[in-house]
């Protein structure tokens, strides 16, 4: 079925087996938030709920998707790094889609989340919910995985491809690759014809992508790990390109906090950031232990993923086989499949705003056309807390970063 969201026709699922990419529940969630976003300033139920806690007695309530992007939050919880900072915690809540995690954050059900970096633009400027990026969660950590009969980007013409969210670095990088290969993005309903020079994009929850590839309802997907590794290990698909080989050391997910906490509870916010930064530092030197902690056999069972898949992502750094197959175009970048460093570079936010303005995104995107990249880099991000946390953890060098908090973005499609 189809309906209107912000005066745009959107197809939504009436049944669970539809592959259009947005369930009815997700549509209703996004529609409600978009409607609320028309008025500013906004007052959400979570505002009043949060005010019941004063200072550091507010518990840390993590919301996450079961992907490696959530690693710093889950390591901080599993190793009791929040408690080391004098904070109380609740058991992290697992969500299955980005729409669900945004809804829970806006309503105050959770107060510390990892979120796709472009999605923070939608939340802050599209829905006008007052929240800010306080740190990056990780860099790289995603890949473009395809069916075994696909050997190049050009082979995707006339086929359907999955992304995890319209506002994602995955959508941005994929469309850059498609444009370079003279392919046009479309969004067709099931059964509609797709031309040879078109690629039909659908939004799928990460957990649904491997099975969709196995049933051949999609030709591939671009998403966070370990779903790419899972497709490889099971023989369902193969990696065609790593996202970090297109945009060097790009952010994918970031730590997002509500302004009510940043402004009213700065000490709490600092301690939360300290724990997350310390978790990233520990993870960089303890990849196998991190995989064990995150796995389905770990004590907390944070994710449903087997240890082997997580170890392949977090601990294996030998890219020789990928280089031989031409998967890696820039071996001189010397990157890990996923790495962890918390500083939110302004240059990245500026480049992100520019890139998404050139990317096809469903829904009302008028706010993007009015968004100045330099303004967003200053307004979207609050780096006060992460700077202090990095200094306390040993400085930028502890994360393999140069002393100055600047860098030049490298994008090579």
């Amino acid at each position: 079925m189809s309906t209107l969201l912000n005066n745009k026709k959107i197809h939504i699922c009436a049944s669970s087996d539809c592959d259009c990419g947005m369930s009815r529940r997700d549509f209703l969630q996004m529609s409600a938030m978009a409607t609320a976003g028309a008025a500013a300033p906004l007052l959400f139920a979570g505002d009043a709920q949060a005010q019941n806690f004063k200072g550091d007695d507010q518990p840390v309530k993590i919301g996450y998707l079961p992907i490696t992007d959530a690693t710093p939050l889950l390591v901080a919880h599993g190793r009791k790094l929040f408690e080391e900072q004098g904070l109380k915690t609740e058991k992290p809540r697992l969500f299955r889609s980005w729409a669900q995690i945004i809804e829970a954050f806006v309503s105050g059900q959770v107060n510390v989340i990892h979120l796709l970096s472009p999605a923070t633009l939608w939340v802050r400027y599209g829905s006008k919910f007052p929240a800010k990026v306080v740190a990056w969660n990780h860099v790289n950590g995603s890949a473009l995985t395809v069916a075994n009969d696909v050997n190049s980007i050009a082979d995707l013409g006339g086929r359907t491809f999955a992304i995890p969210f319209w506002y994602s670095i995955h959508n941005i990088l994929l469309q850059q690759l498609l444009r370079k290969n003279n392919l046009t993005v479309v969004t067709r309903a099931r059964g509609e014809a797709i031309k040879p020079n078109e690629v039909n994009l659908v939004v799928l929850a990460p957990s649904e992508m491997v099975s969709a590839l196995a049933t051949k309802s999609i030709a591939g997907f671009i998403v966070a790990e370990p779903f790419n590794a899972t497709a490889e290990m099971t023989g369902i698909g193969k990696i065609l390109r790593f996202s970090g080989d297109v945009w060097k050391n790009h952010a994918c997910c970031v730590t997002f906090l509500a302004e009510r906490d940043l402004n009213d509870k700065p000490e709490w916010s600092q301690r939360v950031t300290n724990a997350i930064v310390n978790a990233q530092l520990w993870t960089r030197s303890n990849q196998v232990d991190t995989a064990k902690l995150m796995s389905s056999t770990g004590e907390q069972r944070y994710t449903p993923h087997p240890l082997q898949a997580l170890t392949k992502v977090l601990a294996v750094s030998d890219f020789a086989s990928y280089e031989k197959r031409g998967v890696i175009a820039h071996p001189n970048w010397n990157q890990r499949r996923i790495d962890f460093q918390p500083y939110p570079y302004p240059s990245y936010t500026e480049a992100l705003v520019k890139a998404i303005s050139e990317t096809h995104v469903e829904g009302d995107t008028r706010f993007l056309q009015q968004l100045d990249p330099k303004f967003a880099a200053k307004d979207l991000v609050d780096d006060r807390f992460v700077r202090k946390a990095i200094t306390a953890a040993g400085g930028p060098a502890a994360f393999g970063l140069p002393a100055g908090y600047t860098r030049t973005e490298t994008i090579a499609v």
Side-chain angles (χ1 to χ4, degrees):
M1 63 179 291
S2 298
T3 189
L4 292 176
L5 174 58
N6 292 329
N7 297 318
K8 187 172 182 67
K9 191 175 181 181
I10 303 263
H11 179 79
I12 59 175
C13 293
S15 63
S16 59
D17 63 348
C18 179
D19 67 354
C20 71
M22 182 177 284
S23 70
R24 182 173 181 80
R25 172 178 169 78
D26 282 355
F27 172 81
L28 292 174
Q29 292 170 351
M30 301 298 278
S31 179
M33 286 187 285
T35 301
L42 301 177
L43 178 63
F44 293 85
D47 291 320
Q49 181 179 343
Q51 296 309 316
N52 293 329
F53 296 97
K54 302 298 181 182
D56 295 340
D57 62 346
Q58 173 172 278
V60 174
K61 297 183 290 184
I62 293 171
Y64 74 102
L65 264 63
I67 53 181
T68 51
D69 301 36
T71 298
L73 305 186
L74 300 178
V75 167
H77 179 268
R79 291 187 55 77
K80 299 188 180 302
L81 301 183
F82 291 115
E83 284 80 358
E84 285 184 8
Q85 295 292 323
L87 298 172
K88 302 173 184 177
T89 62
E90 295 183 1
K91 183 178 180 179
R93 291 185 56 184
L94 185 152
F95 295 89
R96 292 297 180 182
S97 75
W98 293 111
Q100 292 173 6
I101 203 170
I102 291 171
E103 180 196 31
F105 178 67
V106 167
S107 66
Q109 298 173 48
V110 294
N111 54 22
V112 177
I113 64 170
H114 67 107
L115 189 60
L116 297 161
S117 54
T120 64
L121 299 171
W122 185 89
V123 173
R124 183 166 179 83
Y125 305 112
S127 69
K128 298 182 174 64
F129 181 73
K132 293 201 174 193
V133 175
V134 297
W136 284 2
N137 269 35
H138 69 104
V139 295
N140 305 329
S142 295
L144 190 154
T145 296
V146 295
N148 291 313
D149 65 339
V150 175
N151 296 308
S152 68
I153 298 294
D155 291 344
L156 296 175
R159 307 182 73 170
T160 296
F161 200 90
I163 57 174
F165 205 61
W166 288 110
Y167 288 91
S168 68
I169 193 69
H170 312 91
N171 185 33
I172 292 171
L173 296 181
L174 172 65
Q175 291 195 32
Q176 290 180 344
L177 290 166
L178 295 179
R179 285 197 299 270
K180 184 179 180 181
N181 287 270
N182 300 313
L183 294 172
T184 301
V185 168
V186 296
T187 52
R188 305 282 193 221
R190 178 185 286 184
E192 289 188 16
I194 308 169
K195 297 178 181 178
N197 68 328
E198 296 176 337
V199 176
N200 182 44
L201 293 193
V202 295
V203 175
L204 288 180
S207 59
E208 299 173 9
M209 290 185 174
V210 176
S211 60
L213 185 62
T215 59
K216 299 183 179 180
S217 61
I218 58 174
F221 56 78
I222 181 169
V223 76
E225 298 287 8
F227 299 104
N228 308 287
T230 298
E232 282 184 293
M233 293 165 57
T234 57
I236 291 172
K238 62 187 179 185
I239 289 178
L240 196 62
R241 194 79 181 271
F242 287 104
S243 62
D245 193 49
V246 179
W247 190 331
K248 184 178 180 180
N249 286 326
H250 68 81
C252 181
C253 268
V254 296
T255 300
F256 209 41
L257 298 184
E259 276 195 72
R260 61 176 175 250
D261 291 326
L262 298 175
N263 295 335
D264 299 340
K265 303 176 180 67
E267 183 60 31
W268 181 89
S269 300
Q270 183 65 66
R271 294 183 182 190
V272 167
T273 308
N274 289 348
I276 292 169
V277 168
N278 291 340
Q280 293 190 54
L281 185 61
W282 183 85
T283 298
R284 298 186 85 237
S285 301
N286 298 275
Q287 294 98 335
V288 173
D289 286 338
T290 298
K292 291 178 180 178
L293 184 151
M294 298 269 290
S295 74
S296 58
T297 54
E299 183 178 347
Q300 297 281 356
R301 297 185 179 179
Y302 290 122
T303 77
H305 307 302
L307 177 60
Q308 185 181 5
L310 290 168
T311 300
K312 183 177 180 66
V313 174
L314 291 161
V316 177
S317 58
D318 182 9
F319 277 9
S321 62
Y322 294 116
E323 291 178 17
K324 288 180 181 178
R325 290 195 287 120
V327 173
I328 297 177
H330 306 102
N332 58 309
W333 287 4
N334 297 316
Q335 298 187 96
R336 296 190 62 85
R337 189 159 178 162
I338 187 171
D339 206 351
F340 301 90
Q341 81 80 16
Y343 188 71
Y345 283 98
S347 58
Y348 171 81
T349 305
E350 289 187 33
L352 179 71
V353 174
K354 294 175 183 176
I356 199 168
S357 68
E358 301 169 350
T359 302
H360 174 76
V361 176
E362 290 286 279
D364 188 349
T365 61
R366 287 174 294 180
F367 75 93
L368 287 176
Q369 307 310 316
Q370 303 168 1
L371 189 58
D372 177 69
K374 289 188 179 296
F375 167 80
K378 294 180 180 179
D379 180 72
L380 178 67
V381 178
D382 187 342
D383 68 355
R384 293 174 296 163
F385 307 104
V386 73
R387 281 176 176 262
K388 291 181 180 178
I390 291 174
T391 297
F399 297 91
L401 304 177
Y405 287 111
T406 60
R407 79 175 195 182
T408 300
E409 299 306 311
T410 303
I411 305 173
V413 179

